[in-house]
């Protein structure tokens, strides 16, 4: 891992007895150390691991507080500590306006990863851990709950500096709490949602399938190409990077590196030169799955036509060879049912 920490600021947002939000500021930045670098790396990995993200850009019609604070810091008119305090103030104000009870530790991590510079802003809760001393006394310690990161956004500072017109230099976690919380975090940042990673992924799915058909790939070649496309996109997403169309083209068809690229242009497919993707959506390249009516099925794409066959007219799926654990459950159930039936006779 090549995460290089630059700055880390932490402030705490609490609720007063009267129900008002109040910020508690740390008087200095967190000093650099191996432990702090490890924390920033964990934040980076936890954020990258979140599957559902949206993409946005600063919006002039919304509150410009975070954007102005960012500009002051980058121009040298304020330091990173001042930027963190201004950002915390903006969050407190937004929480109060939306009347949300959210509290926690606001972390602002500035770091470099590979060739890009990032700013990760996240509001984390905490959890208490219990331990016993050598004298068997009970002690508690408070830990940041990184695994439950939900309110978080990341600004690609490199993209923001050189390619901000694309409008997707800010990513944010959609989370499970619904649109209200997602909208609140966008309002806090002063940005509006733009690029749709899910729509991009669906376009990639359709475009790749079209190309594989037009180029008359053999069935086994299609399976290999789909897996290569998924692996490439997954690797880029996990690294927090966008998919590059020219690179994707070489992955789709290594023998004709620009074949997919030229096909997209000739067919006027609206595939951008660089775009974010959603890994969850791209799994359809390599796996079939579905749930409904008390039935849940999932199998690799390469098994279709071999161990799995589907009749479109009768909507019938035939599976040859079941997983050992499923086979064991079925045999036990049927044997038990037969024995019960014989006893009844």
């Amino acid at each position: 891992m090549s995460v290089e920490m630059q700055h880390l600021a932490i402030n705490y947002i609490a609720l007063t007895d009267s129900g008002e939000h109040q910020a508690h500021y740390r008087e200095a930045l967190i000093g650099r150390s191996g432990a702090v670098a490890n924390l920033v790396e964990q934040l980076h990995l936890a954020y990258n691991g979140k599957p559902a993200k949206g993409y946005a850009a600063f919006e002039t019609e919304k509150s410009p507080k975070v954007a102005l604070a960012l500009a002051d810091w980058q121009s040298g008119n304020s330091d990173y500590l001042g930027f963190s305090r201004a950002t915390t103030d903006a969050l407190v104000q937004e929480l109060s306006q939306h009347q949300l009870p959210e509290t926690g530790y606001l972390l602002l991590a500035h770091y470099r990863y590979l060739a890009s510079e990032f700013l990760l802003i996240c509001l984390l809760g905490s959890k208490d851990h219990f331990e016993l001393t050598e004298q068997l006394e009970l002690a508690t310690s408070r830990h940041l709950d990184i695994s439950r990161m939900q309110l978080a956004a990341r600004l690609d500072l490199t993209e923001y500096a050189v390619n901000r017109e694309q409008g997707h230099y800010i990513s944010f976690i959609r989370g499970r709490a619904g649109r209200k919380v997602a909208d609140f975090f966008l309002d806090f940042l002063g940005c509006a949602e733009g690029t749709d990673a899910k729509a991009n992924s669906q376009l990639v799915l359709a475009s790749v399938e079209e190309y594989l058909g037009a180029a008359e790939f053999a069935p086994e070649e299609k399976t290999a190409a789909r897996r290569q496309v998924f692996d490439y996109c997954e690797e880029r997403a996990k690294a927090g990077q966008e998919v590059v169309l020219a690179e994707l083209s070489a992955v789709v068809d290594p023998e004709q590196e620009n074949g997919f690229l030229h096909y997209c242009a000739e067919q006027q497919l609206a595939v951008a030169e660089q775009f974010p993707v959603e890994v969850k959506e791209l799994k359809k390249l390599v796996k079939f799955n579905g749930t409904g009516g008390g039935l849940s099925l999932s199998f690799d794409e390469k098994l279709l036509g071999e161990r799995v066959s589907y009749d479109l007219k009768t909507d019938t799926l035939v599976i040859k060879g079941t997983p050992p654990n499923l086979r064991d459950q079925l045999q036990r159930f049927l044997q038990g049912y037969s024995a019960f039936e014989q006893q009844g006779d």
Side-chain angles (χ1 to χ4, degrees), residues 107-127:
L107 281 71
L108 298 96
H110 171 218
Y111 62 92
R112 291 192 180 97
Y113 176 67
L114 300 179
S116 297
E117 195 171 344
F118 295 99
L119 173 65
L120 177 63
I121 303 174
C122 56
L123 184 65
L124 298 179
S126 61
K127 55 184 178 181

Side-chain angles (χ1 to χ4, degrees), residues 178-203:
R179 286 296 303 171
K180 183 176 181 181
V181 174
D183 287 343
F184 134 73
F185 216 65
L186 289 180
D187 289 343
F188 148 61
L189 294 170
C191 61
E193 188 169 1
T195 302
D196 189 337
K198 183 176 181 180
N200 285 335
S201 301
Q202 292 172 341
L203 182 57

Side-chain angles (χ1 to χ4, degrees), residues 40 118 128 138 145 164 256 259 289:
V40 173
F118 295 99
D128 290 334
L138 189 64
D145 199 355
R164 70 180 63 181
Q256 300 285 338
N289 66 79

Side-chain angles (χ1 to χ4, degrees), residues 143-154:
H143 293 192
L144 290 171
D145 199 355
I146 297 176
S147 63
R148 295 189 179 182
M149 178 190 294
Q150 289 296 327
L151 294 176
R154 184 169 63 187

